[in-house]
Amino acid sequence: MTPLLSGIRVVELSAVVMGPFAGQILADLGAEVIKIEPLGGDIARTAAPVGAGGGAMFLNNNRNKKVIAVDLKSAEGQAIAQRLVEECDVLLHNMRVDAIERLGLGFEAARALNPAIIHCSAIGFGQGGRYRDLPAFDDIIQAASGLAGLSTNFGHDPQFVPTNLADKVGALYTVYGVLAALVARAGGRREAMRIEAPMFEAVTSFLLNEHLAGATFGETGEGMGYKRLFARDRRPYRTLDGWLAVLPYTQPQWTRFFAEAGRSDILEAPWFADPVERNRRIGALYGELSGILATRSTRDWVETLTRLDIPCSPVRSMQDLIDDPHLADIGFFTPSGDYPPDVTRALPQPVVFEGVERVPDRAAPSLGADTREILAACGYDQRQIDGLAARGVIHDGAVALLAKTGSSAS
């Protein structure tokens, strides 16, 4: 944890990936993030594989937070959430808008409770369009945004990227929205602010950054799609004994590569020195690259290309990353903090702030672990807290409820 946002309190009402990942980044930066969970817990707690501290996905998206488990369907539970909102800087949720409204925590209601609230909705679709009420998960957004359809440019069926890309991209947009609002507050803005961070629009913007291409210029453009990325021979290349990614990008890099390969015919071609003409032939150049790389071993090419200062990397598997020497140098997977004994690897906040001391992380807490502490800080006395627990309004961590509720995810 890097304590840059110390003094900022975030109330998080979210589950699975998008909201929790955004909340974790804010917590990693030092904000006090209070996650409100239902009595059965965030469904990611039981998403396999599960260890002593819960599901791996939950552990990787909820460190450095405090948690309170509340029955938000009850009037008393809603009153607890509203009291927390009264005293926070940011309310972050990834619920559908009608659901957050029913809890009495929509923007207008939250502003009435806290006139300076930063109210951030990490949602599926922007509320200004016709899709606003549609349910959204990562696969749905990958399809809706055109991401899953990129593979059709190569004659393949649509395919999902095998990572929760839409959730995580949406989370990053959410975080920068919250940080910008906090900067505005530090600059003197005191009124409430509503932030909308919709996954559909976020991933569409992310995808079309380069692929809007000729459509940028309307009907006079050359069509959509950044042509270099759609070249059929832009891919990992087979070597004598493996696979290698190589990207000569500048003219000097292409020149050094073809000089190494002894291809004077390409170097002396009149179009080669003209970047516009060379780029028009990028597919053919990648084809030449493919044939040349197949003549040597991966190790030989890595040594040669590193000497020539041409970007390259062996194609690594996820398992290879566990033993990657660079990641070992920086202790990338080493847990920092109070993780359960069976957690031997954890993921860090990758941004490094020089001159700011990092403090040990707090592992994702067990369900209801901080309920009593949070309620006491809100002004509830011990008798009131005991009563809320007895009536089933809260879960205080004393008894695990996951088995009783049958909550599960896959």
Side-chain angles (χ1 to χ4, degrees):
M1 181 195 300
T2 308
L4 293 173
L5 295 181
S6 297
I8 299 298
R9 176 178 286 181
V10 179
V11 171
E12 178 196 313
L13 270 164
S14 67
V16 193
V17 177
M18 183 181 178
F21 185 39
Q24 177 174 273
I25 294 171
L26 295 171
D28 285 346
L29 295 175
E32 180 189 20
V33 178
I34 298 174
K35 179 184 177 81
I36 302 177
E37 292 188 75
L39 296 181
D42 182 338
I43 195 172
R45 284 187 179 274
T46 53
V50 178
M57 186 165 66
F58 183 85
L59 294 176
N60 289 331
N61 285 294
N62 290 281
R63 66 171 171 258
N64 293 321
K65 299 177 186 179
K66 296 178 180 179
V67 297
I68 177 172
V70 179
D71 177 12
L72 290 177
K73 295 180 181 179
S74 70
E76 288 179 297
Q78 291 177 17
I80 291 170
Q82 290 163 6
R83 191 174 298 191
L84 286 170
V85 168
E86 286 176 354
E87 299 179 2
C88 75
D89 298 287
V90 179
L91 172 60
L92 166 64
H93 79 89
N94 70 344
M95 304 174 71
R96 290 166 73 170
V97 173
D98 59 346
I100 197 75
E101 295 281 357
R102 286 196 300 271
L103 294 179
L105 294 174
F107 175 66
E108 294 300 336
R111 179 166 62 175
L113 294 167
N114 183 341
I117 190 79
I118 295 169
H119 188 282
C120 183
S121 301
I123 51 181
F125 300 93
Q127 295 301 287
R130 65 190 64 193
Y131 301 158
R132 59 184 174 270
D133 296 325
L134 296 178
F137 290 93
D138 193 276
D139 289 359
I140 305 307
I141 300 301
Q142 287 202 34
S145 67
L147 181 63
L150 284 178
S151 54
T152 63
N153 289 280
F154 303 96
H156 304 307
D157 292 340
Q159 296 177 0
F160 294 131
V161 178
T163 182
N164 291 324
L165 185 141
D167 278 317
K168 290 180 284 189
V169 167
L172 295 175
Y173 278 72
T174 299
V175 169
Y176 89 59
V178 170
L179 293 178
L182 290 171
V183 169
R185 171 176 289 184
R189 182 186 175 99
R190 290 292 175 262
E191 61 268 32
M193 187 182 304
R194 180 175 186 172
I195 300 172
E196 217 177 69
M199 276 199 292
F200 175 56
E201 287 89 328
V203 178
T204 299
S205 176
F206 187 86
L207 174 68
L208 295 185
N209 176 274
E210 73 277 21
H211 286 312
L212 190 60
T216 302
F217 308 109
E219 298 302 321
T220 62
E222 297 181 11
M224 300 181 72
Y226 181 27
K227 299 301 186 283
R228 184 183 74 81
L229 302 187
F230 288 153
R232 290 188 178 274
D233 282 310
R234 176 197 171 257
R235 53 185 170 79
Y237 301 108
R238 186 179 288 280
T239 65
L240 279 177
D241 58 357
W243 296 88
L244 187 68
V246 181
L247 183 59
Y249 196 76
T250 66
Q251 181 172 335
Q253 288 169 347
W254 279 112
T255 299
R256 292 195 296 271
F257 178 81
F258 284 121
E260 171 70 22
R263 293 298 301 273
S264 58
D265 57 317
I266 295 176
L267 294 174
E268 294 169 2
W271 52 264
F272 183 76
D274 184 332
V276 174
E277 292 299 319
R278 191 174 64 250
N279 285 336
R280 285 177 176 164
R281 294 167 173 80
I282 195 66
L285 286 175
Y286 284 148
E288 297 288 351
L289 196 66
S290 176
I292 293 167
L293 291 171
T295 63
R296 302 188 199 175
S297 70
T298 299
R299 181 174 181 176
D300 187 359
W301 275 121
V302 168
E303 292 175 352
T304 299
L305 295 168
T306 299
R307 171 173 53 82
L308 296 174
D309 196 28
I310 295 172
C312 68
S313 174
V315 176
R316 297 186 176 96
S317 68
M318 290 187 291
Q319 187 62 43
D320 290 334
L321 294 175
I322 298 298
D323 301 315
D324 182 87
H326 172 86
L327 297 179
D329 291 342
I330 62 175
F332 186 84
F333 291 110
T334 304
S336 167
D338 59 349
Y339 284 87
D342 63 341
V343 175
T344 60
R345 299 183 182 92
L347 299 173
Q349 170 57 246
V351 180
V352 177
F353 300 89
E354 287 197 24
V356 180
E357 182 180 1
R358 296 186 75 151
V359 299
D361 290 323
R362 183 193 187 201
S366 60
L367 180 63
D370 306 296
T371 298
R372 287 183 172 269
E373 174 194 333
I374 291 168
L375 290 177
C378 286
Y380 289 84
D381 62 32
Q382 192 64 43
R383 180 184 59 80
Q384 291 173 310
I385 296 172
D386 288 342
L388 290 166
R391 291 190 297 277
V393 176
I394 62 169
H395 173 38
D396 61 4
V399 179
L401 292 187
L402 290 175
K404 294 182 179 181
T405 60
S407 177
S408 63
S410 59

